[in-house]
Amino acid sequence: MNRNTSAKMAALSALALALTACGGDDSGDGGGSGGGGGGSEAYEIAFVQGVAGDEFYITMQCGIEEAAEELGVEVTTQGAQQFDPALQTPIVDSVVASAPDGLLIAPTDVTGMYRPIQAAADAGIAVGLVDTTLEDPSMAVTQVASDNEGGGAAAFEAIQAANPEGGTVLVVGHEPGISTSEARIKGFLDALAEDPAFTALETQYAQNDVAEGARIVTSTLQATPDLIGVFGTNLFAAEGAATGLRQAGAQEQVTVVGFDAGPAQVEALEAGTVQALVAQQPAEIGRQGLEQVIASLDGEEPEAEIQTGFTIITQENLADNQDALYRSSC
Ligand code: T6T
């Protein structure tokens, strides 16, 4: 355990309790007209992940597949090897060519993915945006995502609770141009601006690469030895931050809060390299996205926007929040 003494951990635990599952409609009822127990036609739905092999999207796939079985629809899932619009575009183009009834997609760039997704809508495919979004999402019948700004603010509050005296913090974003990265950073920095005891260094981006995240944190520690906190905005950024701190031997000094709760993040939490995780509800995002797309295909009015909540996980409440952890397979 690092210099987060028991008092700091108690403060974090209290905050985690206060913030648990806040920030969204996590009722799981689809928020509207979707779903409805197997009455749908045997629609074909394509799910295009932001990236393959990321436990967030794997867990989302599990939620979509479970809902698809209940609803009697077919789902196929694909994802590129990297979070990159140049790699996601041909996948969407080939989905459009195969003419499914619906497309659920996490766009990897707010502008770069507009053309292929608009082409899907133009071809009569019902589009649902899950997790990430576009600058112009008007072609989508629904958008389902976490309260990303709220999650960013909660991440700052966790660092603040562990370091009430304030200090210098660093945000490691996942990648510029991805809506979730920008929203989480905004939420974090807006909350930080309310407390003059804290200063944020210029945000850096790990480019969804753990090694790059680690490099950013070790070089920041050299330039800013009094760093007290790091916010990693997704799986890769948070894992990179934890790795960098381990390499620099600075776990005692720096509070790390990361978005997401995959196995590596949970391991870092247990080891004390990370003090809090903002766990999203990826299965629920997928389920609700599917329900709304099907509602649209059934001629019902889909819910245009649904926001899901998050859970702040600490060492203290980890045992009670096993359901919030991401899965590596369905
Ligand atoms: O944080 C999630 C997702 O919400 C984000 O849009 C991209 O990164 C993740 O998939 C985690 O790696």
Side-chain angles (χ1 to χ4, degrees):
M1 180 62 35
N2 65 21
R3 84 173 168 107
N4 291 310
T5 55
S6 41
K8 285 187 174 191
M9 295 314 291
L12 268 176
S13 304
L15 185 82
L17 265 182
L19 290 172
T20 286
C22 65
D25 168 15
D26 59 348
S27 58
D29 64 5
S33 50
S40 302
E41 282 181 44
Y43 296 121
E44 286 179 16
I45 310 293
F47 170 41
V48 178
Q49 299 166 311
V51 68
D54 171 332
E55 286 101 0
F56 173 84
Y57 293 116
I58 293 171
T59 309
M60 186 182 291
Q61 176 183 356
C62 302
I64 292 173
E65 286 175 354
E66 279 161 23
E69 198 167 324
E70 288 165 25
L71 295 166
V73 301
E74 289 289 321
V75 174
T76 51
T77 299
Q78 297 176 72
Q81 290 309 308
Q82 283 167 33
F83 220 112
D84 182 348
L87 300 179
Q88 196 179 42
T89 294
I91 294 178
V92 178
D93 289 345
S94 82
V95 162
V96 173
S98 71
D101 300 292
L103 168 65
L104 287 169
I105 181 166
T108 48
D109 191 279
V110 286
T111 53
M113 287 310 298
Y114 177 82
R115 189 217 41 88
I117 297 176
Q118 181 63 54
D122 290 345
I125 299 168
V127 173
L129 302 181
V130 280
D131 176 42
T132 48
T133 188
L134 296 165
E135 211 170 85
D136 175 4
S138 54
M139 84 291 276
V141 302
T142 191
Q143 297 183 74
V144 187
S146 299
D147 174 9
N148 285 299
E149 271 195 47
F156 172 70
E157 285 162 27
I159 290 180
Q160 189 184 38
N163 302 275
E165 70 288 0
T168 303
V169 301
L170 171 70
V171 178
V172 182
H174 35 297
E175 209 168 313
I178 300 179
S179 61
T180 48
S181 187
E182 301 311 329
R184 292 168 197 172
I185 293 168
K186 180 177 186 314
F188 184 92
L189 293 178
D190 284 354
L192 179 141
E194 303 284 311
D195 186 342
F198 286 86
T199 310
L201 297 172
E202 193 180 334
T203 296
Q204 298 192 55
Y205 292 89
Q207 307 294 346
N208 286 306
D209 179 9
V210 173
E212 178 58 9
R215 192 204 59 74
I216 288 170
V217 168
T218 46
S219 68
T220 300
L221 273 167
Q222 278 166 7
T224 314
D226 60 347
L227 188 75
I228 57 104
V230 177
F231 170 38
T233 63
N234 80 343
L235 280 177
F236 305 102
E239 195 178 337
T243 306
L245 286 177
R246 259 198 319 273
Q247 287 167 352
Q251 301 100 300
E252 304 298 313
Q253 149 188 349
V254 182
T255 303
V256 179
V257 178
F259 242 81
D260 298 309
Q265 288 69 50
V266 173
E267 216 175 279
L269 186 74
E270 285 170 333
T273 335
V274 168
Q275 279 65 52
L277 301 175
V278 184
Q280 306 185 71
Q281 300 177 336
E284 195 54 34
I285 293 172
R287 165 180 286 276
Q288 296 204 30
L290 181 69
E291 289 177 351
Q292 297 309 314
V293 162
I294 288 173
S296 165
L297 290 168
D298 282 344
E300 297 166 20
E301 188 64 42
E303 193 88 1
E305 267 186 68
I306 296 174
Q307 200 168 66
T308 53
F310 52 83
T311 307
I312 303 292
I313 303 184
T314 61
Q315 273 190 357
E316 281 62 32
N317 69 14
L318 178 60
D320 296 332
N321 282 298
Q322 293 293 303
D323 287 355
L325 307 183
Y326 301 177
R327 296 160 70 174
S328 309
S329 63
C330 295

